[in-house]
Amino acid sequence: MPRVKNPWKRFLAKWIQYRIETQLLVANLLGLIVNLAFMGRFRPRGAPPIVVLVDSHREALVLWLLRLLAVIPAQCWIRVIRQPTELYAIVQSSPVGATLVATSRLCSKHYQAMADFRRRQQVNVI
Amino acid sequence: MRLLKHSTRSAPKISLILLDWSVRESFHLLHYLGKQDVDRDLFEVIIVEYYSRVSDSIRPFEGQVDTWLLLEMPTDCYYHKHLMYNAGIVVAKGDICVICDSDAMVKEGFIRAIISAFENAPDIVLHLDQFRNIRRDLYPFCFPSFEDVLGRGCINNAGNRTRGLLDDEDSIHNRNYGACMCARRSDLIAIGGADEHVDYLGHICGPYEMTFRLVNLGRREVWSQMDFTYHTWHPGQAGEDNHLGPHDGRHVSTTALDALSSGRVMPLAENQTIHHLRVDRGHESGPDSFQIAPEHRVAWREDNIRSLGTWTSVCTTRRVWKGFIVERTPDGFVAFPKIVEQPAFIKYRDEVAIRAETTGEIRRRLARSLPLAMRATFPLIIFATYLSRALGVAYFFMRRRLARLIMGCRA
């Protein structure tokens, strides 16, 4: 990012950065919620749960509340991945046959680990 | 297109691709390349100029230039670095292509380090991070010592390593992916070269989009822990007042980030010459064979970029809206949830697809297709996200301000 000396211009640059980043976060989160709802519609009764991998506790909290309100399926298990090393551990502790869903933000943040992981396991990235 | 100089080196190991779009004031990297501690025939230097300028800044170092190519793009066309990358890849004779800043400093072991890295691990894409010094008194470039560049004014020196190298949490934003990227020429051709999509026009671009697709291909991204490039301040270095393609707020292309999510290896817009090289393996034509798509000379004109609206980009046929993919069809638009692109859910596509003739109509129908309970929560989620991020950013700045105050008091 450019370093701007004028304080007003610096504030404006930071404001634009904040707006673009938050808009992207919101768009990705809403997209995740919509697609989880559709996945709930398609899944047969008794099928293994959907394991949702996110990278922030904020998103996890929102998804957990929406699960309580039945906006997203009750079969959604929400897991927060902060380090790439947690990826395999969390997936190994998930039920066999569970559908894995990861956010695009998680894929970007830990892309090397995710690229390796996706070669071994089917992951739906939203 | 004009070839001012063509390399006579028969079998270099490394091809350095340096770019200019009639802006560079200094090519002092060439001075440091003349001091490398390896045989000069092991590497070649390729200069690619986007327009037609024969730069005077290169003249003092012309002996170091092996290939000098002018793309002769019209002056009313905005610059597209990826086109220049592709030109460099096509004319390169070396096994390894290195894309780096032409106004950087490197130590005498730079070339040797790259060769060694690829000899030890052939399946990598190698990056060297960059120390950046913001002292204005080093401009115009005055060949400072490396110690001077690492000393006062250096913004990212953390114990003789860059701060970005120590950061594992957000490497995409904290490391300089454009400083120096090295990859095998065969790998770059295998991924279709650099993406010539209009989203990469202007400042939001860089070799990182090839790095991401190489990682998707299965290559390992490695950052050198011992070797770096060094950069001193000059005006316009951060791309102020440039055209910016879609980015994430911190000048990383969202189109490149989408490639990470989707696992895409091929570019959205592949160069024809690279395509032929990829498909007809072993068939190498001369440097004159490099083709520039004629539509680029129209689509990249500055007038057309200024008028870029929602659907005017020639390559854009789909958008994402609230988790739905909206595609343009001959009859209008069709939308479906992003999840039905995944193999396990593709069979549901026809069941959930929504069609309409205009963008407004398709958005209304998509909104109506969502349950009321979900639609009711959206404004709350948006508000909560903005608020929590604002609080997080405020906390971060206050903590940083407090730390500076404490350091100031201690001093």
Side-chain angles (χ1 to χ4, degrees), chain A residues 1-3 14 17-18 20-26 29-31 33-35 37-39 41-42 58 62 66 71 104 107-109 111-112 115 118-119 122-126, chain B residues 169 172 177 212 215-216 218 221 238 240 247-251 254 260-263 322-324 337-339 342-343 345 348 352 370 374 377-378 381-382 385-386 388-390:
Chain A
M1 280 293 289
R3 284 177 73 96
K14 290 292 181 192
Q17 179 188 338
Y18 161 78
I20 294 175
E21 284 182 327
T22 316
Q23 272 171 359
L24 274 174
L25 264 177
V26 163
L29 183 54
L30 297 185
I33 293 164
V34 165
N35 281 276
F38 272 97
M39 286 175 75
R41 259 175 61 181
F42 301 145
R58 176 183 51 231
V62 169
L66 291 176
V71 173
S104 54
C107 277
S108 308
K109 227 174 174 180
Y111 62 91
Q112 288 221 71
R118 286 167 80 180
R119 275 188 268 280
Q122 173 70 33
V123 180
N124 302 295
V125 179
I126 297 173
Chain B
E169 277 198 17
I172 287 180
Y177 274 74
F212 295 164
V215 168
N216 289 340
E221 179 188 314
E240 292 108 355
H247 64 95
D248 66 347
R250 298 176 72 180
H251 289 202
T254 44
L260 285 178
S261 325
S262 62
K322 288 207 172 90
F324 291 94
K338 209 171 173 191
I339 194 67
Q342 305 289 335
F345 297 93
Y348 301 106
V352 296
L370 301 174
M374 187 187 292
T377 59
F378 279 178
I381 292 170
I382 293 169
T385 307
Y386 272 89
S388 69
R389 274 219 82 224

Coordinates of all heavy atoms in Angstrom, one line a residue, chain A residues 1-3 14 17-18 20-26 29-31 33-35 37-39 41-42 58 62 66 71 104 107-109 111-112 115 118-119 122-126, chain B residues 169 172 177 212 215-216 218 221 238 240 247-251 254 260-263 322-324 337-339 342-343 345 348 352 370 374 377-378 381-382 385-386 388-390:
Chain A
M1 N 0.9 -1.2 0.0 CA 0.0 0.0 0.0 C 0.9 1.2 0.0 O 1.9 1.3 0.7 CB -0.9 0.0 1.3 CG -2.1 -0.9 1.2 SD -3.3 -0.3 0.0 CE -3.9 1.1 0.7
P2 N 0.5 2.3 -0.7 CA 1.3 3.5 -0.7 C 1.4 4.2 0.6 O 0.4 4.2 1.3 CB 0.6 4.4 -1.8 CG -0.7 3.8 -2.0 CD -0.7 2.4 -1.6
R3 N 2.6 4.7 1.0 CA 2.7 5.5 2.2 C 2.4 6.9 1.9 O 3.1 7.5 1.1 CB 4.0 5.3 2.8 CG 4.3 3.9 3.5 CD 5.7 3.8 4.0 NE 5.9 4.7 5.2 CZ 5.8 4.2 6.4 NH1 5.5 3.0 6.6 NH2 6.1 5.0 7.5
K14 N -6.8 4.8 4.0 CA -7.1 3.8 5.0 C -8.6 3.5 5.0 O -9.1 2.3 5.1 CB -6.7 4.2 6.4 CG -5.2 4.2 6.6 CD -4.6 2.8 6.6 CE -3.1 2.8 6.8 NZ -2.5 1.6 6.4
Q17 N -9.4 1.4 2.0 CA -8.9 0.0 2.2 C -9.9 -0.7 3.1 O -10.3 -1.8 2.9 CB -7.6 0.1 2.9 CG -7.0 -1.3 3.2 CD -5.7 -1.2 4.0 OE1 -5.0 -0.2 4.0 NE2 -5.4 -2.3 4.7
Y18 N -10.4 0.0 4.2 CA -11.3 -0.6 5.1 C -12.6 -1.0 4.5 O -13.1 -2.1 4.6 CB -11.5 0.3 6.3 CG -12.8 0.1 7.1 CD1 -12.8 -0.9 8.0 CD2 -14.0 0.8 6.9 CE1 -13.9 -1.2 8.8 CE2 -15.1 0.5 7.6 CZ -15.1 -0.5 8.6 OH -16.2 -0.7 9.3
I20 N -13.2 -1.6 1.1 CA -13.1 -2.6 0.2 C -12.9 -4.0 0.9 O -13.6 -5.0 0.5 CB -11.9 -2.4 -0.8 CG1 -12.1 -1.2 -1.7 CG2 -11.6 -3.6 -1.7 CD1 -11.0 -0.8 -2.5
E21 N -12.1 -4.0 1.9 CA -11.8 -5.3 2.6 C -13.1 -5.7 3.3 O -13.5 -6.9 3.2 CB -10.8 -5.1 3.7 CG -9.4 -5.0 3.2 CD -8.3 -4.9 4.2 OE1 -8.6 -4.2 5.3 OE2 -7.2 -5.4 4.0
T22 N -13.9 -4.8 3.9 CA -15.1 -5.2 4.6 C -16.2 -5.6 3.6 O -16.9 -6.6 3.9 CB -15.6 -4.1 5.5 OG1 -14.5 -3.6 6.2 CG2 -16.6 -4.6 6.5
Q23 N -16.2 -4.9 2.5 CA -17.2 -5.3 1.5 C -16.9 -6.8 1.0 O -17.9 -7.6 0.8 CB -17.1 -4.4 0.2 CG -18.0 -3.2 0.3 CD -17.7 -2.2 -0.8 OE1 -16.8 -2.4 -1.6 NE2 -18.4 -1.1 -0.8
L24 N -15.7 -7.1 0.8 CA -15.3 -8.4 0.4 C -15.7 -9.5 1.5 O -16.2 -10.5 1.1 CB -13.8 -8.5 0.1 CG -13.4 -8.1 -1.3 CD1 -11.9 -8.1 -1.4 CD2 -14.0 -9.0 -2.4
L25 N -15.4 -9.1 2.7 CA -15.7 -10.0 3.8 C -17.2 -10.3 3.9 O -17.6 -11.4 4.0 CB -15.3 -9.4 5.1 CG -14.0 -9.7 5.7 CD1 -13.7 -8.9 7.0 CD2 -13.9 -11.2 6.0
V26 N -18.0 -9.2 3.7 CA -19.4 -9.3 3.8 C -19.9 -10.2 2.6 O -20.7 -11.1 2.8 CB -20.1 -7.9 3.8 CG1 -21.5 -8.0 3.4 CG2 -19.9 -7.2 5.1
L29 N -19.1 -13.8 3.2 CA -19.9 -14.4 4.3 C -21.3 -14.6 3.9 O -21.9 -15.7 4.1 CB -19.8 -13.5 5.5 CG -20.5 -14.0 6.8 CD1 -20.0 -15.4 7.2 CD2 -20.4 -13.0 8.0
L30 N -21.9 -13.7 3.2 CA -23.3 -13.8 2.7 C -23.4 -15.0 1.7 O -24.3 -15.8 1.7 CB -23.8 -12.5 2.1 CG -24.0 -11.4 3.0 CD1 -24.6 -10.2 2.3 CD2 -24.8 -11.7 4.3
G31 N -22.4 -15.0 0.8 CA -22.3 -16.1 -0.2 C -22.2 -17.5 0.5 O -22.8 -18.4 0.1
I33 N -23.3 -18.3 3.5 CA -24.6 -18.6 4.2 C -25.6 -19.1 3.1 O -26.3 -20.1 3.3 CB -25.1 -17.3 4.9 CG1 -24.2 -16.9 6.0 CG2 -26.6 -17.5 5.3 CD1 -24.4 -15.5 6.6
V34 N -25.7 -18.4 2.0 CA -26.7 -18.8 0.9 C -26.4 -20.2 0.4 O -27.3 -21.0 0.3 CB -26.6 -17.8 -0.2 CG1 -27.3 -18.3 -1.5 CG2 -27.2 -16.4 0.2
N35 N -25.1 -20.5 0.2 CA -24.7 -21.8 -0.3 C -24.9 -22.9 0.7 O -25.2 -24.0 0.3 CB -23.3 -21.7 -0.9 CG -23.2 -21.1 -2.3 OD1 -23.5 -21.7 -3.3 ND2 -23.0 -19.8 -2.3
A37 N -27.2 -22.9 2.9 CA -28.6 -23.1 2.9 C -29.0 -24.1 1.8 O -29.8 -25.0 1.9 CB -29.4 -21.8 2.9
F38 N -28.5 -23.8 0.6 CA -28.8 -24.7 -0.6 C -28.3 -26.1 -0.3 O -28.9 -27.1 -0.7 CB -28.2 -24.1 -1.8 CG -29.1 -23.1 -2.5 CD1 -29.0 -21.7 -2.3 CD2 -30.2 -23.5 -3.3 CE1 -29.8 -20.8 -2.9 CE2 -31.0 -22.6 -3.9 CZ -30.9 -21.3 -3.7
M39 N -27.1 -26.2 0.3 CA -26.6 -27.5 0.5 C -27.5 -28.3 1.5 O -27.7 -29.5 1.3 CB -25.2 -27.4 1.1 CG -24.1 -27.0 0.1 SD -22.5 -26.8 0.9 CE -22.0 -28.5 1.2
R41 N -30.6 -28.0 1.6 CA -31.8 -28.5 0.8 C -31.5 -29.8 0.0 O -32.3 -30.7 -0.1 CB -32.2 -27.4 -0.2 CG -33.3 -26.6 0.2 CD -33.6 -25.4 -0.8 NE -33.8 -25.9 -2.2 CZ -34.1 -25.1 -3.2 NH1 -34.0 -23.8 -3.0 NH2 -34.3 -25.6 -4.4
F42 N -30.3 -29.9 -0.5 CA -29.9 -31.0 -1.4 C -29.6 -32.3 -0.6 O -29.6 -33.4 -1.1 CB -28.7 -30.7 -2.2 CG -28.8 -29.5 -3.1 CD1 -27.8 -28.6 -3.4 CD2 -30.1 -29.2 -3.7 CE1 -27.9 -27.5 -4.2 CE2 -30.2 -28.1 -4.5 CZ -29.2 -27.2 -4.8
R58 N -15.0 -14.6 14.3 CA -16.2 -13.7 14.0 C -17.1 -14.4 13.1 O -18.3 -14.5 13.3 CB -15.7 -12.4 13.4 CG -16.9 -11.5 13.0 CD -16.5 -10.2 12.3 NE -15.5 -10.5 11.2 CZ -14.4 -9.8 11.1 NH1 -14.0 -8.9 12.0 NH2 -13.6 -10.1 10.1
V62 N -21.0 -15.9 13.8 CA -22.2 -15.6 13.0 C -22.8 -16.9 12.5 O -24.1 -17.1 12.5 CB -21.8 -14.7 11.8 CG1 -22.9 -14.6 10.8 CG2 -21.4 -13.3 12.3
L66 N -26.6 -18.4 13.3 CA -27.5 -18.7 12.2 C -28.0 -20.1 12.3 O -29.1 -20.5 11.9 CB -26.9 -18.4 10.8 CG -26.7 -16.9 10.5 CD1 -25.9 -16.8 9.2 CD2 -28.0 -16.1 10.5
V71 N -31.3 -20.9 10.1 CA -31.2 -20.3 8.8 C -30.2 -21.1 8.0 O -30.4 -21.3 6.8 CB -30.6 -18.8 8.9 CG1 -30.2 -18.3 7.6 CG2 -31.5 -17.9 9.7
S104 N -13.2 -19.1 0.7 CA -12.2 -18.6 -0.2 C -11.1 -17.9 0.5 O -9.9 -18.0 0.2 CB -12.7 -17.8 -1.3 OG -13.4 -16.7 -0.8
C107 N -8.8 -20.4 1.9 CA -7.9 -20.9 0.8 C -6.8 -19.9 0.5 O -5.7 -20.3 0.2 CB -8.8 -21.2 -0.4 SG -9.6 -22.7 -0.3
S108 N -7.1 -18.6 0.5 CA -6.1 -17.6 0.1 C -5.0 -17.5 1.2 O -3.9 -17.4 1.0 CB -6.7 -16.3 -0.1 OG -7.8 -16.3 -0.9
K109 N -5.5 -17.6 2.5 CA -4.6 -17.4 3.6 C -3.6 -18.5 3.7 O -2.4 -18.3 3.9 CB -5.4 -17.3 4.9 CG -5.0 -16.2 5.8 CD -6.0 -16.1 6.9 CE -5.5 -15.1 7.9 NZ -6.4 -14.9 9.1
Y111 N -2.8 -21.0 1.3 CA -3.1 -21.6 0.0 C -2.1 -22.8 -0.3 O -2.5 -23.7 -0.9 CB -3.0 -20.6 -1.1 CG -1.7 -19.8 -1.3 CD1 -0.7 -20.4 -2.1 CD2 -1.4 -18.7 -0.6 CE1 0.5 -19.7 -2.3 CE2 -0.2 -18.0 -0.8 CZ 0.7 -18.5 -1.6 OH 1.9 -17.8 -1.8
Q112 N -0.9 -22.7 0.3 CA 0.0 -23.9 0.0 C -0.6 -25.1 0.7 O -0.6 -26.2 0.0 CB 1.4 -23.6 0.5 CG 2.1 -22.6 -0.3 CD 3.5 -22.9 -0.6 OE1 3.9 -23.8 -1.3 NE2 4.4 -22.2 0.1
A115 N -3.8 -26.2 -1.1 CA -3.5 -26.8 -2.4 C -3.1 -28.3 -2.3 O -3.7 -29.2 -3.0 CB -2.5 -26.0 -3.2
R118 N -6.2 -30.3 -0.9 CA -7.3 -30.5 -1.9 C -6.9 -31.5 -3.0 O -7.8 -32.1 -3.7 CB -7.6 -29.2 -2.7 CG -8.4 -28.2 -1.8 CD -8.4 -26.8 -2.3 NE -9.4 -26.7 -3.4 CZ -9.7 -25.6 -4.0 NH1 -9.0 -24.5 -3.7 NH2 -10.6 -25.5 -4.9
R119 N -5.6 -31.8 -3.1 CA -5.2 -32.9 -4.0 C -5.6 -34.3 -3.4 O -5.7 -35.2 -4.1 CB -3.7 -32.8 -4.2 CG -3.4 -31.9 -5.4 CD -1.9 -32.0 -5.8 NE -1.1 -31.0 -5.0 CZ -1.0 -29.8 -5.4 NH1 -1.6 -29.3 -6.4 NH2 -0.2 -29.0 -4.7
Q122 N -11.6 -34.1 -1.3 CA -12.6 -33.2 -2.0 C -13.0 -32.1 -1.0 O -13.5 -32.3 0.1 CB -13.8 -34.0 -2.4 CG -15.0 -33.2 -2.9 CD -14.7 -32.6 -4.3 OE1 -14.0 -33.2 -5.1 NE2 -15.2 -31.4 -4.6
V123 N -12.8 -30.8 -1.4 CA -13.2 -29.7 -0.6 C -14.0 -28.8 -1.5 O -13.6 -28.5 -2.6 CB -11.9 -28.9 0.0 CG1 -12.4 -27.7 0.8 CG2 -11.0 -29.8 0.8
N124 N -15.1 -28.4 -1.0 CA -16.0 -27.4 -1.7 C -15.6 -26.0 -1.2 O -15.7 -25.7 0.0 CB -17.5 -27.7 -1.4 CG -17.8 -29.1 -1.8 OD1 -17.8 -29.4 -3.0 ND2 -18.2 -29.9 -0.9
V125 N -15.1 -25.2 -2.1 CA -14.7 -23.8 -1.7 C -15.7 -22.8 -2.2 O -16.1 -22.8 -3.3 CB -13.3 -23.5 -2.4 CG1 -12.9 -22.1 -2.0 CG2 -12.3 -24.5 -1.9
I126 N -16.2 -22.0 -1.2 CA -17.2 -21.0 -1.5 C -16.7 -19.6 -1.3 O -16.1 -19.4 -0.2 CB -18.5 -21.3 -0.7 CG1 -19.0 -22.7 -1.1 CG2 -19.5 -20.2 -1.0 CD1 -20.2 -23.1 -0.2
Chain B
E169 N 1.4 -15.5 9.0 CA -0.1 -15.4 9.1 C -0.7 -14.7 7.8 O -1.7 -15.1 7.4 CB -0.5 -14.5 10.3 CG -0.5 -15.3 11.5 CD -1.3 -14.6 12.6 OE1 -2.1 -13.7 12.3 OE2 -1.1 -15.0 13.8
I172 N 0.7 -13.1 2.0 CA 0.3 -12.5 0.7 C 0.5 -11.0 0.8 O 0.9 -10.3 -0.2 CB -1.1 -12.9 0.3 CG1 -1.1 -14.4 -0.2 CG2 -1.7 -12.0 -0.8 CD1 -2.5 -14.9 -0.6
Y177 N 5.7 -10.1 -3.3 CA 5.7 -11.1 -4.3 C 6.2 -10.7 -5.7 O 6.6 -11.5 -6.5 CB 4.3 -11.6 -4.5 CG 3.9 -12.7 -3.5 CD1 3.6 -12.4 -2.2 CD2 3.7 -14.0 -3.9 CE1 3.3 -13.4 -1.3 CE2 3.4 -15.0 -3.0 CZ 3.1 -14.7 -1.7 OH 2.8 -15.6 -0.8
F212 N 0.6 -18.4 -7.9 CA -0.6 -19.1 -7.4 C -1.0 -20.2 -8.3 O -1.3 -21.3 -7.8 CB -1.7 -18.1 -7.2 CG -1.5 -17.0 -6.2 CD1 -2.3 -15.9 -6.2 CD2 -0.5 -17.1 -5.3 CE1 -2.2 -14.9 -5.3 CE2 -0.3 -16.1 -4.3 CZ -1.1 -15.0 -4.4
V215 N 1.4 -23.1 -7.9 CA 1.1 -23.9 -6.7 C 0.0 -24.8 -6.9 O -0.1 -26.0 -6.5 CB 0.9 -22.9 -5.5 CG1 0.3 -23.7 -4.3 CG2 2.1 -22.2 -5.1
N216 N -1.1 -24.3 -7.6 CA -2.2 -25.2 -8.0 C -1.7 -26.3 -8.9 O -2.3 -27.4 -8.8 CB -3.3 -24.4 -8.7 CG -4.0 -23.4 -7.8 OD1 -4.0 -23.6 -6.6 ND2 -4.6 -22.4 -8.4
G218 N 1.0 -27.8 -8.6 CA 1.8 -28.8 -7.7 C 3.2 -28.4 -7.4 O 3.9 -29.1 -6.7
E221 N 6.1 -23.4 -3.4 CA 6.5 -22.0 -3.3 C 7.6 -21.9 -2.2 O 7.3 -22.3 -1.0 CB 5.4 -21.1 -3.0 CG 5.7 -19.6 -2.9 CD 4.5 -18.8 -2.4 OE1 3.4 -19.0 -2.9 OE2 4.7 -18.0 -1.5
A238 N 4.9 3.4 -5.8 CA 3.8 2.6 -5.3 C 2.5 2.7 -6.2 O 1.5 2.3 -5.8 CB 3.4 3.1 -3.9
E240 N 0.9 5.4 -7.5 CA -0.2 6.3 -7.2 C -0.8 6.8 -8.6 O 0.0 6.9 -9.6 CB 0.3 7.6 -6.5 CG 0.7 7.3 -5.0 CD 2.2 7.2 -4.8 OE1 3.0 7.4 -5.8 OE2 2.7 7.1 -3.7
H247 N -9.2 -5.4 -6.8 CA -8.3 -5.8 -5.7 C -9.0 -5.9 -4.4 O -10.1 -5.5 -4.2 CB -7.1 -4.8 -5.7 CG -7.4 -3.4 -5.3 ND1 -7.3 -2.9 -4.0 CD2 -7.9 -2.3 -6.0 CE1 -7.7 -1.7 -3.9 NE2 -8.0 -1.3 -5.1
D248 N -8.3 -6.4 -3.4 CA -8.9 -6.7 -2.1 C -8.8 -5.6 -1.1 O -9.0 -5.8 0.1 CB -8.3 -8.0 -1.6 CG -6.8 -7.8 -1.2 OD1 -6.2 -6.8 -1.6 OD2 -6.2 -8.7 -0.5
G249 N -8.4 -4.4 -1.5 CA -8.2 -3.3 -0.6 C -6.8 -3.1 -0.3 O -6.4 -2.0 0.2
R250 N -6.0 -4.1 -0.5 CA -4.5 -4.0 -0.2 C -3.7 -4.3 -1.4 O -2.6 -4.8 -1.4 CB -4.2 -4.9 1.0 CG -4.9 -4.5 2.3 CD -4.7 -5.5 3.4 NE -3.3 -5.3 3.9 CZ -2.8 -6.0 4.9 NH1 -3.6 -6.9 5.5 NH2 -1.6 -5.8 5.4
H251 N -4.3 -4.0 -2.6 CA -3.6 -4.0 -3.9 C -3.2 -5.4 -4.3 O -2.2 -5.6 -5.0 CB -2.4 -3.1 -3.9 CG -2.9 -1.6 -3.9 ND1 -2.1 -0.6 -4.4 CD2 -4.0 -1.0 -3.6 CE1 -2.7 0.5 -4.3 NE2 -3.9 0.3 -3.8
T254 N -8.0 -9.6 -6.8 CA -9.0 -10.5 -6.4 C -9.1 -11.6 -7.5 O -9.5 -12.8 -7.1 CB -10.3 -9.9 -6.1 OG1 -10.6 -9.0 -7.2 CG2 -10.4 -9.1 -4.8
L260 N -6.7 -19.1 -6.5 CA -6.4 -19.9 -5.3 C -7.6 -20.7 -4.8 O -7.5 -21.8 -4.5 CB -5.8 -19.0 -4.2 CG -4.4 -18.5 -4.3 CD1 -4.1 -17.6 -3.2 CD2 -3.4 -19.6 -4.5
S261 N -8.7 -20.0 -4.8 CA -9.9 -20.7 -4.3 C -10.4 -21.8 -5.2 O -10.8 -22.8 -4.8 CB -11.1 -19.7 -4.1 OG -10.7 -18.5 -3.7
S262 N -10.4 -21.5 -6.5 CA -10.9 -22.4 -7.5 C -9.9 -23.5 -7.9 O -10.3 -24.5 -8.4 CB -11.4 -21.7 -8.7 OG -10.3 -21.0 -9.3
G263 N -8.6 -23.3 -7.6 CA -7.6 -24.3 -8.0 C -7.3 -24.2 -9.4 O -6.7 -25.1 -10.0
K322 N -24.0 -12.3 -4.0 CA -24.5 -12.9 -2.8 C -24.4 -14.5 -2.9 O -25.4 -15.1 -2.6 CB -25.9 -12.5 -2.5 CG -26.0 -11.1 -2.0 CD -27.2 -10.8 -1.1 CE -27.2 -9.5 -0.5 NZ -27.8 -8.4 -1.2
G323 N -23.3 -15.0 -3.4 CA -23.1 -16.4 -3.4 C -23.7 -17.1 -4.6 O -23.6 -18.3 -4.8
F324 N -24.3 -16.3 -5.5 CA -24.8 -16.8 -6.8 C -23.9 -16.4 -7.9 O -23.4 -15.3 -7.9 CB -26.2 -16.2 -7.1 CG -27.3 -16.7 -6.2 CD1 -27.7 -15.9 -5.1 CD2 -28.0 -17.9 -6.5 CE1 -28.7 -16.4 -4.3 CE2 -29.0 -18.3 -5.6 CZ -29.4 -17.5 -4.5
P337 N -26.6 -21.0 -7.5 CA -25.7 -21.0 -6.3 C -24.3 -21.5 -6.7 O -24.1 -22.4 -7.5 CB -26.3 -21.9 -5.3 CG -27.7 -22.1 -5.7 CD -27.7 -21.9 -7.2
K338 N -23.3 -20.9 -6.1 CA -21.9 -21.2 -6.4 C -21.6 -22.7 -6.2 O -20.8 -23.3 -6.9 CB -21.0 -20.4 -5.6 CG -19.6 -20.1 -6.2 CD -18.9 -19.0 -5.4 CE -17.5 -18.9 -5.9 NZ -16.6 -18.1 -5.1
I339 N -22.3 -23.3 -5.2 CA -22.0 -24.7 -4.8 C -22.3 -25.6 -5.9 O -21.7 -26.7 -6.0 CB -22.8 -25.0 -3.5 CG1 -22.3 -26.3 -2.9 CG2 -24.3 -25.1 -3.7 CD1 -20.9 -26.2 -2.3
Q342 N -19.5 -27.3 -7.9 CA -18.7 -28.4 -7.4 C -19.2 -29.7 -7.9 O -20.4 -29.9 -8.1 CB -18.8 -28.4 -5.8 CG -18.4 -27.1 -5.2 CD -17.0 -26.7 -5.3 OE1 -16.1 -27.6 -5.4 NE2 -16.6 -25.5 -5.3
P343 N -18.4 -30.7 -8.2 CA -18.8 -31.9 -8.8 C -19.9 -32.7 -8.1 O -20.8 -33.2 -8.8 CB -17.5 -32.8 -8.7 CG -16.4 -31.8 -8.6 CD -16.9 -30.6 -7.9
F345 N -22.4 -31.5 -6.6 CA -23.7 -30.8 -6.6 C -24.1 -30.3 -8.0 O -25.1 -29.7 -8.2 CB -23.7 -29.6 -5.7 CG -23.5 -29.9 -4.3 CD1 -22.2 -29.9 -3.7 CD2 -24.5 -30.2 -3.4 CE1 -22.0 -30.3 -2.4 CE2 -24.3 -30.5 -2.1 CZ -23.0 -30.6 -1.6
Y348 N -27.7 -30.6 -9.6 CA -28.8 -29.8 -9.1 C -28.9 -28.5 -9.9 O -29.8 -27.7 -9.6 CB -28.7 -29.5 -7.6 CG -28.7 -30.7 -6.8 CD1 -27.5 -31.2 -6.2 CD2 -29.9 -31.5 -6.6 CE1 -27.5 -32.3 -5.4 CE2 -29.8 -32.6 -5.8 CZ -28.7 -33.0 -5.2 OH -28.6 -34.1 -4.4
V352 N -32.1 -25.5 -9.7 CA -32.0 -24.2 -9.0 C -31.7 -23.0 -9.8 O -31.7 -21.9 -9.3 CB -31.0 -24.3 -7.8 CG1 -31.4 -25.3 -6.8 CG2 -29.6 -24.6 -8.4
L370 N -34.6 -16.5 -1.8 CA -34.0 -16.8 -0.4 C -35.1 -16.7 0.6 O -36.0 -15.9 0.5 CB -32.9 -15.7 -0.1 CG -31.7 -15.6 -1.1 CD1 -30.8 -14.5 -0.7 CD2 -30.9 -16.9 -1.0
M374 N -33.7 -15.7 6.3 CA -32.3 -15.4 5.9 C -32.2 -13.9 5.4 O -31.2 -13.2 5.8 CB -31.9 -16.3 4.7 CG -30.4 -16.2 4.3 SD -30.0 -17.2 2.9 CE -30.2 -18.8 3.5
T377 N -31.8 -11.5 8.2 CA -30.6 -11.4 9.0 C -29.5 -10.7 8.2 O -28.5 -10.3 8.9 CB -30.1 -12.8 9.3 OG1 -29.9 -13.5 8.1 CG2 -31.1 -13.6 10.2
F378 N -29.6 -10.6 6.9 CA -28.5 -10.0 6.2 C -28.1 -8.6 6.6 O -26.9 -8.3 6.8 CB -28.9 -10.0 4.7 CG -28.6 -11.3 4.0 CD1 -28.9 -11.4 2.6 CD2 -28.1 -12.4 4.7 CE1 -28.7 -12.7 2.0 CE2 -27.9 -13.6 4.1 CZ -28.2 -13.7 2.7
I381 N -26.1 -8.9 9.8 CA -24.8 -9.4 9.6 C -23.9 -8.4 9.0 O -22.7 -8.2 9.4 CB -24.9 -10.7 8.6 CG1 -25.6 -11.8 9.3 CG2 -23.5 -11.1 8.2 CD1 -25.9 -13.0 8.4
I382 N -24.4 -7.6 8.0 CA -23.6 -6.6 7.4 C -23.2 -5.5 8.4 O -22.0 -5.1 8.5 CB -24.4 -5.9 6.2 CG1 -24.6 -6.9 5.1 CG2 -23.6 -4.7 5.7 CD1 -25.5 -6.5 4.0
T385 N -20.6 -6.9 10.9 CA -19.3 -7.1 10.3 C -18.6 -5.8 10.2 O -17.4 -5.7 10.6 CB -19.4 -7.8 8.9 OG1 -20.2 -9.0 9.0 CG2 -18.0 -8.1 8.3
Y386 N -19.3 -4.8 9.7 CA -18.6 -3.4 9.6 C -18.2 -2.9 11.0 O -17.1 -2.4 11.2 CB -19.6 -2.4 9.0 CG -19.5 -2.4 7.5 CD1 -20.3 -3.2 6.7 CD2 -18.6 -1.5 6.8 CE1 -20.1 -3.2 5.3 CE2 -18.5 -1.5 5.4 CZ -19.3 -2.3 4.7 OH -19.1 -2.3 3.3
S388 N -17.7 -4.7 13.8 CA -16.6 -5.5 14.5 C -15.2 -5.2 13.8 O -14.2 -5.1 14.5 CB -16.9 -7.0 14.5 OG -16.8 -7.5 13.1
R389 N -15.2 -5.0 12.5 CA -14.0 -4.7 11.8 C -13.5 -3.3 12.2 O -12.3 -3.1 12.4 CB -14.2 -4.8 10.3 CG -14.0 -6.2 9.8 CD -13.3 -6.1 8.4 NE -11.9 -6.1 8.6 CZ -11.1 -5.3 7.8 NH1 -11.6 -4.5 6.9 NH2 -9.8 -5.3 8.0
A390 N -14.4 -2.4 12.3 CA -14.0 -1.0 12.7 C -13.4 -1.0 14.1 O -12.4 -0.4 14.4 CB -15.2 -0.1 12.7

